[in-house]
Amino acid sequence: MSPSPSSAPAPSAAPPAYAERLGLPWWYWLAGLGLAGLLATELWMGATGVRSWLPFVLLLPATVAALWWLGRIRVAVHDGELRVDDARLPVRFVADAVPLDAAGRREVLGVGADPLAFVVQRPWVGGAVQVVLDDPADPTPFWVVSSRRPVELAAAIMAARDAA
């Protein structure tokens, strides 16, 4: 008897316990597009033919793509997992989740930081959560994940762990 072709578990219809996107502030978009427009104008000045429109066609969409890429990271607690972009951590391996403010994040990621830690931090997001792991098979001691609402994220992680 052969295994069924869809042996992967079906996605849950339940909403995530916590979800956020670490997008860029609006003024990053304004500054980025303004700088791209200024650079395109500098390249265009006095040019004719293809050089008159090519900088605008290339630089403005490239800037939009780069800004979108910088703000694409999603953080969620869903189906017993902490999901950060493509990384997934089953909450059964979480020993503790500590919300950090900007100073706490700076201390955890500073000079004495553990080089084996898994870090997803965005400088434009002030807070973070340090997720301490309890998995003897994993050399990673903890995760540090940026969050605009670190207290809520830490609470969601601990609630999911306690429910599992």
Side-chain angles (χ1 to χ4, degrees):
M1 191 162 149
S2 65
S4 68
S6 63
S7 60
S12 173
Y18 179 88
E20 87 174 290
R21 185 170 160 263
L22 302 178
L24 292 165
W26 65 269
W27 58 272
Y28 273 47
W29 285 87
L30 188 64
L33 289 172
L35 287 173
L38 182 64
L39 180 60
T41 302
E42 286 290 329
L43 293 173
W44 159 74
M45 289 178 74
T48 59
V50 172
R51 279 192 50 211
S52 65
W53 56 267
L54 192 61
F56 295 98
V57 170
L58 295 178
L59 287 174
L60 293 177
T63 301
V64 168
L67 291 170
W68 172 85
W69 184 81
L70 285 171
R72 78 190 187 291
I73 301 294
R74 294 187 185 277
V75 177
V77 177
H78 187 58
D79 290 339
E81 291 181 326
L82 170 61
R83 300 175 183 181
V84 181
D85 198 21
D86 293 338
R88 293 174 180 232
L89 172 67
V91 293
R92 69 179 178 269
F93 297 122
V94 173
D96 196 12
V98 181
L100 303 170
D101 59 0
R105 184 185 71 183
R106 194 170 30 257
E107 184 177 329
V108 168
L109 299 177
V111 175
D114 192 324
L116 295 177
F118 177 78
V119 178
V120 175
Q121 74 96 19
R122 295 295 181 250
W124 55 86
V125 178
V129 174
Q130 180 182 20
V131 181
V132 182
L133 303 184
D134 182 23
D135 183 8
D138 189 356
T140 306
F142 58 86
W143 285 24
V144 177
V145 180
S146 288
S147 175
R148 286 190 172 86
R149 303 182 319 257
V151 174
E152 291 177 35
L153 176 57
I157 293 169
M158 297 309 288
R161 184 200 64 179
D162 294 341

